[in-house]
Amino acid sequence: MTKPTKTLPRLFDFDKMPRRATISNGLTGQDILSVKQFDRERLAYIFGRAHEMREMVERVGACDLLYGHVLACLFYEPSTRTSASFIAAMDRLGGRVIPITQGVQFSSVAKGESLPDTIRTLEQYSDVIVLRHPDIGSAQVAADYAGVPVINAGDGSGEHPTQALLDLFTIQQELGQIDGLKVAMVGDLLNGRTVHSLTQLLLQYDVSLRFVSPESLRLPMVLMNELIDRGRKVRETHDVADVIENADVLYVTRVQKERFSDLSKYEEVKDAFEITPELMRQAKAKMVVMHPLPRVGEIHYAVDSDPRAAYFRQVKNGMYIRMALLAAVLGKA
Ligand code: NCD
């Protein structure tokens, strides 16, 4: 005779628990792979939410908007700001993080696991995945396999959409407008993914663009052609002195050493630019110097005390923008 099975008392009374309410905002459940997904209306929405996030953090520090949600942070390339700000964003919204940010050499990637398998594993534990990877198109590959939203945190020299959003937000915060500005991009325009994404975003505004780089690091041809197709003049120079007097925004970037197969070519251009206090004397009183960071010599430390140096304020904006994005893709904002 078999013993009668006792029914176990239930751990949870789901009927008495609040539901995970979601709000549709056009981004809920979406991957964030490229700035091309953002029109001006969507940008205004994210920027409005980022303002609210700032207010919330300044007043109370944290909230429980994303309580019960898990973010997997998967970084195949080094990062300080992008990874830390996504983690801080999730913390401030009451969610949790699986951090694979200290080097994939400690994950099964070191055993030869493929990107699709790593993604299909992490999606079992998480509600959203942030990915940084050295290959152009890798975020799209991850999104093709993942059942949860994938956010591109940099795919090689391709795109870095969340950085471009925080860059644009910073311009608006610092100068009170975007239309009508003169923006100069300086540095490694060929390999810098932040330049590629920000240039694309700025094409939606009435801005005049200037590109300052050594000959070997000019903006990629596809992007140049896009500018021309959109009726913009491609104005290029090798010298910051040509643009500094008129620029409203000086967006400086480092030479991307890791993208060079021949390091002697890197050595030739690595010290191409340095923004110094002397150079800043030629700039307008109301302008901003920005940099996605890290800097490795392109902006002299003596410029940091200049009120026009906005790069650390830009860093902080990154957290608010990523809070707004996480809340949006998870249907909470
Ligand atoms: C940038 C990146 O990773 O593309 N950094 C960042 O995310 N803030 C810029 C760079 O590494 O030069």
Side-chain angles (χ1 to χ4, degrees):
M1 239 182 63
T2 50
K3 271 213 276 170
T5 47
K6 265 207 251 156
T7 38
L8 277 170
R10 299 207 52 159
L11 277 176
F12 304 107
D13 186 351
F14 293 111
D15 292 335
K16 293 208 178 105
M17 291 165 89
R19 285 188 179 277
R20 274 185 170 194
T22 58
I23 302 165
S24 180
N25 52 45
L27 286 168
T28 305
Q30 298 293 306
D31 304 303
I32 309 241
L33 304 178
S34 164
V35 287
K36 293 198 171 127
Q37 294 167 253
F38 293 86
D39 56 16
R40 284 178 72 145
E41 195 186 331
R42 200 166 264 184
L43 289 167
Y45 172 81
I46 289 295
F47 291 176
R49 290 307 192 200
H51 277 294
E52 279 185 75
M53 295 299 180
R54 180 201 303 276
E55 202 179 330
M56 186 281 286
V57 169
E58 284 174 358
R59 283 181 187 215
V60 291
C63 69
D64 62 0
L65 191 70
L66 295 186
Y67 177 76
H69 290 81
V70 176
L71 160 69
C73 243
L74 177 61
F75 279 63
Y76 289 72
E77 279 190 339
S79 167
T80 299
R81 278 148 290 269
T82 308
S83 58
S85 63
F86 266 113
I87 293 169
M90 207 60 187
D91 268 349
R92 299 252 182 209
L93 292 173
R96 305 300 294 253
V97 182
I98 303 168
I100 307 184
T101 53
Q102 300 303 321
V104 283
Q105 69 267 31
F106 300 113
S107 75
S108 284
V109 170
K111 301 180 192 169
E113 187 163 58
S114 66
L115 178 63
D117 279 3
T118 305
I119 291 291
R120 281 186 291 198
T121 300
L122 290 175
E123 72 164 334
Q124 311 300 324
Y125 310 132
S126 60
D127 304 297
V128 52
I129 298 171
V130 170
L131 173 72
R132 170 169 289 186
H133 193 281
D135 297 342
I136 296 179
S138 51
Q140 179 65 63
V141 171
D144 290 344
Y145 283 92
V148 299
V150 170
I151 301 179
N152 181 5
D155 60 329
S157 56
E159 274 220 45
H160 194 347
T162 67
Q163 178 71 42
L165 292 176
L166 79 89
D167 292 340
L168 196 66
F169 181 66
T170 302
I171 295 173
Q172 197 188 54
Q173 287 279 288
E174 295 284 328
L175 299 173
Q177 66 184 87
I178 299 166
D179 283 314
L181 296 180
K182 294 188 172 66
V183 180
M185 307 270 189
V186 183
D188 187 347
L189 311 184
L190 178 69
N191 301 302
R193 54 195 172 199
T194 70
V195 171
H196 303 164
S197 288
L198 183 57
T199 302
Q200 290 269 6
L201 260 194
L202 286 171
L203 279 178
Q204 300 197 37
Y205 294 83
D206 176 23
V207 293
S208 117
L209 292 164
R210 287 286 189 100
F211 300 98
V212 188
S213 72
E215 184 59 30
S216 61
L217 300 178
R218 289 169 62 197
L219 202 68
M221 206 45 101
V222 264
L223 209 45
M224 288 222 193
N225 288 338
E226 188 154 355
L227 288 169
I228 294 162
D229 289 349
R230 305 270 286 262
R232 307 293 179 111
K233 280 197 201 123
V234 181
R235 289 184 291 194
E236 297 177 277
T237 168
H238 301 319
D239 195 351
V240 183
D242 292 342
V243 301
I244 192 133
E245 276 177 33
N246 288 321
D248 298 299
V249 177
L250 198 66
Y251 188 89
V252 188
T253 62
R254 88 187 151 92
V255 179
Q256 309 273 303
K257 185 178 182 185
E258 65 275 32
R259 310 283 177 230
F260 285 73
S261 46
D262 178 354
L263 274 186
S264 69
K265 294 269 180 278
Y266 167 74
E267 293 294 328
E268 281 169 21
V269 287
K270 73 178 178 26
D271 299 319
F273 304 105
E274 188 186 26
I275 310 301
T276 58
E278 293 71 52
L279 211 47
M280 287 300 289
R281 259 179 238 130
Q282 297 173 41
K284 290 187 199 173
K286 192 180 173 204
M287 58 87 75
V288 280
V289 182
M290 293 171 58
H291 194 307
L293 301 177
R295 68 173 145 182
V296 286
E298 316 76 46
I299 302 179
H300 196 284
Y301 285 95
V303 176
D304 297 2
S305 55
D306 188 314
R308 296 169 292 182
Y311 25 94
F312 289 107
R313 298 191 288 276
Q314 189 182 348
V315 167
K316 192 153 199 182
N317 288 336
M319 181 175 75
Y320 302 130
I321 284 288
R322 287 168 177 134
M323 289 170 79
L325 281 173
L326 287 168
V329 298
L330 292 169
K332 292 290 183 181

